[in-house]
Amino acid sequence: MAKIYPSALDTQPSFHGSAGEKAVYQALLTLDDRYTIFYSFRWLNEDGQVRSEGEGDFIVLHPEHGILSIEVKDGGIDYDGGCWWQTNRRTGTRKRIDPFNQAAATQYRLQAILKERTPTIFTTVCRADQFVAQMLREGLAPEDIAILTIHSVKHSHLPLDTKLAGHALSLMPEPEKILFTSTRKFKGLEAKAVLLIDAETSPLDDPLIRRLLYVGASRAALCLEVAFYEDDADEKNRATRKADEDALCARFGLQNH
């Protein structure tokens, strides 16, 4: 059974008067114990944001599938004139609703919280997932893609149990899996698409780090991307990092984005 908070139905006896929320709550309880669910998740936005607070009806978390924000609407629901409408069955009152934007607002706030609490890990995982998804859209197979860290897999900011675009990582080449290894171990080998990560954790003026970057960047046959995490709070380091990135890209005839 899924772990759900609050953990007992009697802690929310009215479910805000929504039979729909109660039905979804009971349905989500039937998921297996790898799922964690938050019901009526209330959040505060950052200062200066248009929307200062909000609520997600259900936040569903799974270590492989990710995070899902669910907005529940019940009563009389219909779609008319390009808009969603809700009719109160007791009063007959009809109002315009926007469940997709409500769910999206919670989604973006959760992303901001995760990025704030785990900036490097969050950025690395998101960038890797986007890279893999783009390569698959362009017709490559998962085994055509390699994720290379300039350190070791153990010390990378990309967890080995991460799934990228639905595909598992593997320390060795395997069908339908994405190779994840270090630049040292991949020396002399080649992949059609290479994402080089974790460069930001070491000084780029170190000759060893530059050699590892060169080795990793020269392993791509068709597509290369180098992902850097940038600390927006440190202007000096950001300027230095940008110069280093530009120099690295120039060496390979690439454009720094």
Side-chain angles (χ1 to χ4, degrees), residues 38-55:
F38 291 90
Y39 168 62
S40 191
F41 178 81
R42 297 180 180 274
W43 49 265
L44 295 175
N45 223 333
E46 299 172 343
D47 292 340
Q49 297 294 312
V50 174
R51 188 172 182 178
S52 61
E53 61 181 286
E55 178 189 13

PDB file of all heavy atoms in Angstrom, residues 38-55:
ATOM      1  N   PHE A  38       1.158  12.984  -1.107  1.00  0.00           N
ATOM      2  CA  PHE A  38       0.760  14.063  -0.211  1.00  0.00           C
ATOM      3  C   PHE A  38      -0.596  14.586  -0.669  1.00  0.00           C
ATOM      4  O   PHE A  38      -0.760  14.964  -1.834  1.00  0.00           O
ATOM      5  CB  PHE A  38       1.791  15.194  -0.229  1.00  0.00           C
ATOM      6  CG  PHE A  38       3.103  14.819   0.397  1.00  0.00           C
ATOM      7  CD1 PHE A  38       4.110  14.270  -0.370  1.00  0.00           C
ATOM      8  CD2 PHE A  38       3.319  15.003   1.759  1.00  0.00           C
ATOM      9  CE1 PHE A  38       5.317  13.904   0.196  1.00  0.00           C
ATOM     10  CE2 PHE A  38       4.516  14.642   2.335  1.00  0.00           C
ATOM     11  CZ  PHE A  38       5.526  14.096   1.555  1.00  0.00           C
ATOM     12  N   TYR A  39      -1.540  14.572   0.268  1.00  0.00           N
ATOM     13  CA  TYR A  39      -2.867  15.099  -0.029  1.00  0.00           C
ATOM     14  C   TYR A  39      -2.990  16.524   0.499  1.00  0.00           C
ATOM     15  O   TYR A  39      -2.540  16.831   1.592  1.00  0.00           O
ATOM     16  CB  TYR A  39      -3.951  14.216   0.606  1.00  0.00           C
ATOM     17  CG  TYR A  39      -5.316  14.847   0.589  1.00  0.00           C
ATOM     18  CD1 TYR A  39      -5.937  15.155  -0.623  1.00  0.00           C
ATOM     19  CD2 TYR A  39      -5.977  15.172   1.769  1.00  0.00           C
ATOM     20  CE1 TYR A  39      -7.184  15.762  -0.651  1.00  0.00           C
ATOM     21  CE2 TYR A  39      -7.229  15.771   1.745  1.00  0.00           C
ATOM     22  CZ  TYR A  39      -7.822  16.073   0.541  1.00  0.00           C
ATOM     23  OH  TYR A  39      -9.044  16.680   0.505  1.00  0.00           O
ATOM     24  N   SER A  40      -3.609  17.390  -0.290  1.00  0.00           N
ATOM     25  CA  SER A  40      -3.818  18.798   0.079  1.00  0.00           C
ATOM     26  C   SER A  40      -2.484  19.453   0.451  1.00  0.00           C
ATOM     27  O   SER A  40      -2.314  19.996   1.544  1.00  0.00           O
ATOM     28  CB  SER A  40      -4.815  18.897   1.242  1.00  0.00           C
ATOM     29  OG  SER A  40      -5.224  20.234   1.437  1.00  0.00           O
ATOM     30  N   PHE A  41      -1.567  19.404  -0.490  1.00  0.00           N
ATOM     31  CA  PHE A  41      -0.221  19.937  -0.283  1.00  0.00           C
ATOM     32  C   PHE A  41      -0.242  21.459  -0.459  1.00  0.00           C
ATOM     33  O   PHE A  41      -0.432  21.971  -1.555  1.00  0.00           O
ATOM     34  CB  PHE A  41       0.747  19.292  -1.280  1.00  0.00           C
ATOM     35  CG  PHE A  41       2.157  19.800  -1.196  1.00  0.00           C
ATOM     36  CD1 PHE A  41       3.022  19.319  -0.234  1.00  0.00           C
ATOM     37  CD2 PHE A  41       2.605  20.771  -2.081  1.00  0.00           C
ATOM     38  CE1 PHE A  41       4.328  19.779  -0.157  1.00  0.00           C
ATOM     39  CE2 PHE A  41       3.907  21.237  -2.019  1.00  0.00           C
ATOM     40  CZ  PHE A  41       4.769  20.742  -1.047  1.00  0.00           C
ATOM     41  N   ARG A  42      -0.069  22.181   0.642  1.00  0.00           N
ATOM     42  CA  ARG A  42      -0.089  23.650   0.596  1.00  0.00           C
ATOM     43  C   ARG A  42       1.330  24.190   0.480  1.00  0.00           C
ATOM     44  O   ARG A  42       2.241  23.692   1.125  1.00  0.00           O
ATOM     45  CB  ARG A  42      -0.766  24.198   1.854  1.00  0.00           C
ATOM     46  CG  ARG A  42      -2.228  23.783   1.973  1.00  0.00           C
ATOM     47  CD  ARG A  42      -2.873  24.348   3.225  1.00  0.00           C
ATOM     48  NE  ARG A  42      -4.255  23.940   3.328  1.00  0.00           N
ATOM     49  CZ  ARG A  42      -5.278  24.573   2.766  1.00  0.00           C
ATOM     50  NH1 ARG A  42      -5.054  25.668   2.055  1.00  0.00           N
ATOM     51  NH2 ARG A  42      -6.516  24.139   2.907  1.00  0.00           N
ATOM     52  N   TRP A  43       1.494  25.215  -0.359  1.00  0.00           N
ATOM     53  CA  TRP A  43       2.819  25.788  -0.571  1.00  0.00           C
ATOM     54  C   TRP A  43       2.762  27.315  -0.624  1.00  0.00           C
ATOM     55  O   TRP A  43       1.726  27.914  -0.932  1.00  0.00           O
ATOM     56  CB  TRP A  43       3.437  25.251  -1.863  1.00  0.00           C
ATOM     57  CG  TRP A  43       2.551  25.301  -3.082  1.00  0.00           C
ATOM     58  CD1 TRP A  43       1.769  24.282  -3.563  1.00  0.00           C
ATOM     59  CD2 TRP A  43       2.360  26.400  -3.980  1.00  0.00           C
ATOM     60  NE1 TRP A  43       1.098  24.678  -4.697  1.00  0.00           N
ATOM     61  CE2 TRP A  43       1.451  25.971  -4.983  1.00  0.00           C
ATOM     62  CE3 TRP A  43       2.863  27.705  -4.045  1.00  0.00           C
ATOM     63  CZ2 TRP A  43       1.045  26.805  -6.024  1.00  0.00           C
ATOM     64  CZ3 TRP A  43       2.464  28.535  -5.087  1.00  0.00           C
ATOM     65  CH2 TRP A  43       1.563  28.074  -6.061  1.00  0.00           C
ATOM     66  N   LEU A  44       3.898  27.915  -0.278  1.00  0.00           N
ATOM     67  CA  LEU A  44       4.085  29.357  -0.373  1.00  0.00           C
ATOM     68  C   LEU A  44       5.088  29.649  -1.473  1.00  0.00           C
ATOM     69  O   LEU A  44       6.104  28.960  -1.603  1.00  0.00           O
ATOM     70  CB  LEU A  44       4.596  29.934   0.955  1.00  0.00           C
ATOM     71  CG  LEU A  44       3.648  29.838   2.147  1.00  0.00           C
ATOM     72  CD1 LEU A  44       4.354  30.342   3.401  1.00  0.00           C
ATOM     73  CD2 LEU A  44       2.382  30.641   1.890  1.00  0.00           C
ATOM     74  N   ASN A  45       4.817  30.665  -2.248  1.00  0.00           N
ATOM     75  CA  ASN A  45       5.727  31.023  -3.328  1.00  0.00           C
ATOM     76  C   ASN A  45       6.823  31.940  -2.821  1.00  0.00           C
ATOM     77  O   ASN A  45       6.796  32.416  -1.683  1.00  0.00           O
ATOM     78  CB  ASN A  45       4.963  31.710  -4.463  1.00  0.00           C
ATOM     79  CG  ASN A  45       5.421  31.200  -5.820  1.00  0.00           C
ATOM     80  OD1 ASN A  45       6.560  30.761  -5.978  1.00  0.00           O
ATOM     81  ND2 ASN A  45       4.531  31.235  -6.783  1.00  0.00           N
ATOM     82  N   GLU A  46       7.803  32.203  -3.670  1.00  0.00           N
ATOM     83  CA  GLU A  46       8.867  33.122  -3.321  1.00  0.00           C
ATOM     84  C   GLU A  46       8.341  34.555  -3.341  1.00  0.00           C
ATOM     85  O   GLU A  46       7.349  34.880  -3.993  1.00  0.00           O
ATOM     86  CB  GLU A  46      10.020  32.970  -4.304  1.00  0.00           C
ATOM     87  CG  GLU A  46      10.630  31.573  -4.289  1.00  0.00           C
ATOM     88  CD  GLU A  46      11.637  31.384  -5.407  1.00  0.00           C
ATOM     89  OE1 GLU A  46      11.607  32.194  -6.356  1.00  0.00           O
ATOM     90  OE2 GLU A  46      12.433  30.441  -5.328  1.00  0.00           O
ATOM     91  N   ASP A  47       9.021  35.429  -2.633  1.00  0.00           N
ATOM     92  CA  ASP A  47       8.633  36.836  -2.611  1.00  0.00           C
ATOM     93  C   ASP A  47       8.663  37.409  -4.025  1.00  0.00           C
ATOM     94  O   ASP A  47       9.567  37.132  -4.813  1.00  0.00           O
ATOM     95  CB  ASP A  47       9.585  37.639  -1.717  1.00  0.00           C
ATOM     96  CG  ASP A  47       9.446  37.267  -0.257  1.00  0.00           C
ATOM     97  OD1 ASP A  47       8.406  36.702   0.109  1.00  0.00           O
ATOM     98  OD2 ASP A  47      10.390  37.536   0.519  1.00  0.00           O
ATOM     99  N   GLY A  48       7.668  38.226  -4.326  1.00  0.00           N
ATOM    100  CA  GLY A  48       7.631  38.884  -5.620  1.00  0.00           C
ATOM    101  C   GLY A  48       6.931  38.104  -6.709  1.00  0.00           C
ATOM    102  O   GLY A  48       6.740  38.613  -7.812  1.00  0.00           O
ATOM    103  N   GLN A  49       6.535  36.860  -6.437  1.00  0.00           N
ATOM    104  CA  GLN A  49       5.821  36.073  -7.431  1.00  0.00           C
ATOM    105  C   GLN A  49       4.363  36.523  -7.505  1.00  0.00           C
ATOM    106  O   GLN A  49       3.791  36.999  -6.525  1.00  0.00           O
ATOM    107  CB  GLN A  49       5.886  34.592  -7.079  1.00  0.00           C
ATOM    108  CG  GLN A  49       7.295  34.019  -7.077  1.00  0.00           C
ATOM    109  CD  GLN A  49       7.916  34.001  -8.452  1.00  0.00           C
ATOM    110  OE1 GLN A  49       7.286  33.552  -9.404  1.00  0.00           O
ATOM    111  NE2 GLN A  49       9.127  34.492  -8.559  1.00  0.00           N
ATOM    112  N   VAL A  50       3.776  36.354  -8.680  1.00  0.00           N
ATOM    113  CA  VAL A  50       2.387  36.786  -8.879  1.00  0.00           C
ATOM    114  C   VAL A  50       1.453  36.032  -7.936  1.00  0.00           C
ATOM    115  O   VAL A  50       0.563  36.616  -7.319  1.00  0.00           O
ATOM    116  CB  VAL A  50       1.974  36.547 -10.349  1.00  0.00           C
ATOM    117  CG1 VAL A  50       0.484  36.842 -10.537  1.00  0.00           C
ATOM    118  CG2 VAL A  50       2.815  37.415 -11.274  1.00  0.00           C
ATOM    119  N   ARG A  51       1.671  34.735  -7.814  1.00  0.00           N
ATOM    120  CA  ARG A  51       0.820  33.920  -6.945  1.00  0.00           C
ATOM    121  C   ARG A  51       1.582  33.617  -5.674  1.00  0.00           C
ATOM    122  O   ARG A  51       2.594  32.925  -5.684  1.00  0.00           O
ATOM    123  CB  ARG A  51       0.433  32.626  -7.661  1.00  0.00           C
ATOM    124  CG  ARG A  51      -0.606  31.806  -6.916  1.00  0.00           C
ATOM    125  CD  ARG A  51      -1.084  30.651  -7.766  1.00  0.00           C
ATOM    126  NE  ARG A  51      -2.119  29.886  -7.083  1.00  0.00           N
ATOM    127  CZ  ARG A  51      -2.752  28.847  -7.609  1.00  0.00           C
ATOM    128  NH1 ARG A  51      -2.453  28.451  -8.823  1.00  0.00           N
ATOM    129  NH2 ARG A  51      -3.672  28.203  -6.919  1.00  0.00           N
ATOM    130  N   SER A  52       1.107  34.127  -4.540  1.00  0.00           N
ATOM    131  CA  SER A  52       1.853  34.013  -3.288  1.00  0.00           C
ATOM    132  C   SER A  52       1.714  32.647  -2.631  1.00  0.00           C
ATOM    133  O   SER A  52       2.570  32.238  -1.863  1.00  0.00           O
ATOM    134  CB  SER A  52       1.406  35.096  -2.301  1.00  0.00           C
ATOM    135  OG  SER A  52       0.027  34.946  -1.996  1.00  0.00           O
ATOM    136  N   GLU A  53       0.621  31.940  -2.893  1.00  0.00           N
ATOM    137  CA  GLU A  53       0.411  30.636  -2.278  1.00  0.00           C
ATOM    138  C   GLU A  53      -0.483  29.790  -3.162  1.00  0.00           C
ATOM    139  O   GLU A  53      -1.116  30.273  -4.107  1.00  0.00           O
ATOM    140  CB  GLU A  53      -0.228  30.792  -0.897  1.00  0.00           C
ATOM    141  CG  GLU A  53      -1.593  31.466  -0.922  1.00  0.00           C
ATOM    142  CD  GLU A  53      -2.162  31.622   0.475  1.00  0.00           C
ATOM    143  OE1 GLU A  53      -2.591  30.607   1.030  1.00  0.00           O
ATOM    144  OE2 GLU A  53      -2.173  32.751   0.996  1.00  0.00           O
ATOM    145  N   GLY A  54      -0.517  28.512  -2.847  1.00  0.00           N
ATOM    146  CA  GLY A  54      -1.355  27.612  -3.622  1.00  0.00           C
ATOM    147  C   GLY A  54      -1.483  26.270  -2.931  1.00  0.00           C
ATOM    148  O   GLY A  54      -0.959  26.052  -1.846  1.00  0.00           O
ATOM    149  N   GLU A  55      -2.190  25.375  -3.594  1.00  0.00           N
ATOM    150  CA  GLU A  55      -2.415  24.040  -3.022  1.00  0.00           C
ATOM    151  C   GLU A  55      -2.481  23.029  -4.148  1.00  0.00           C
ATOM    152  O   GLU A  55      -3.111  23.269  -5.182  1.00  0.00           O
ATOM    153  CB  GLU A  55      -3.721  24.005  -2.229  1.00  0.00           C
ATOM    154  CG  GLU A  55      -4.041  22.631  -1.653  1.00  0.00           C
ATOM    155  CD  GLU A  55      -5.443  22.566  -1.070  1.00  0.00           C
ATOM    156  OE1 GLU A  55      -6.233  23.492  -1.328  1.00  0.00           O
ATOM    157  OE2 GLU A  55      -5.751  21.580  -0.387  1.00  0.00           O
TER     158      GLU A  55
END
